[in-house]
Amino acid sequence: MHQGFGFVEFRTEGDAEYAIKIMNMIKLHGQPLRLNKKTSGEVRALEVGANLFIGNLSEEVDEKLLYDTFSAFGVITGNTPKVMRDPETGVSKGFAFVNYDCFEAADMAIEAMSGQ
């Protein structure tokens, strides 16, 4: 079961604004997309790379297993992989993020791991 949300990272703020203008409330699988810009958090200097969302994870999957698996496709950057967990119980929410230094690495990971 999916969580009903996702993230997209754009190179420029203008690109993000354009996507919101064009895609907001367009229906996808019968549901309207609701697009918003990130409103909090740090602003990074121009980093070219890819932030990959990984869903449908078993509770047993941890950061080490994700790192060992996804580092085969390219250089992992930042504080990732990061399994999202319930702050009170520490139990995985079933999704994680992996940041790559380039889009090609993310594309290879998606091609190889989609549906696995």
Side-chain angles (χ1 to χ4, degrees):
M1 184 165 111
H2 65 83
Q3 300 291 323
F5 63 90
F7 300 91
V8 177
E9 190 168 327
F10 293 92
R11 285 190 183 208
T12 69
E13 188 172 349
D15 291 344
E17 290 168 356
Y18 179 77
I20 291 169
K21 181 178 179 182
I22 299 300
M23 299 297 295
N24 198 37
M25 301 309 287
I26 296 290
K27 286 192 176 184
L28 179 65
H29 301 290
Q31 296 294 320
L33 295 173
R34 291 182 179 86
L35 283 71
N36 294 296
K37 284 175 38 179
K38 184 176 177 182
T39 58
S40 64
E42 67 209 41
V43 175
R44 293 184 277 180
L46 182 61
E47 289 182 17
V48 178
N51 185 11
L52 189 59
F53 172 85
I54 303 165
N56 297 322
L57 295 176
S58 165
E59 286 183 11
E60 292 79 35
V61 173
D62 64 6
E63 285 82 355
K64 180 172 181 358
L65 178 60
L66 288 174
Y67 184 87
D68 292 346
T69 303
F70 283 88
S71 63
F73 304 106
V75 176
I76 294 176
T77 62
N79 294 325
T80 68
K82 177 69 175 163
V83 175
M84 303 311 293
R85 300 181 184 281
D86 181 285
E88 293 180 16
T89 65
V91 174
S92 170
K93 292 183 177 182
F95 65 98
F97 296 94
V98 175
N99 294 336
Y100 285 105
D101 68 340
C102 66
F103 288 101
E104 293 80 11
D107 290 343
M108 287 190 303
I110 291 168
E111 185 176 325
M113 300 301 293
S114 185
Q116 298 296 316

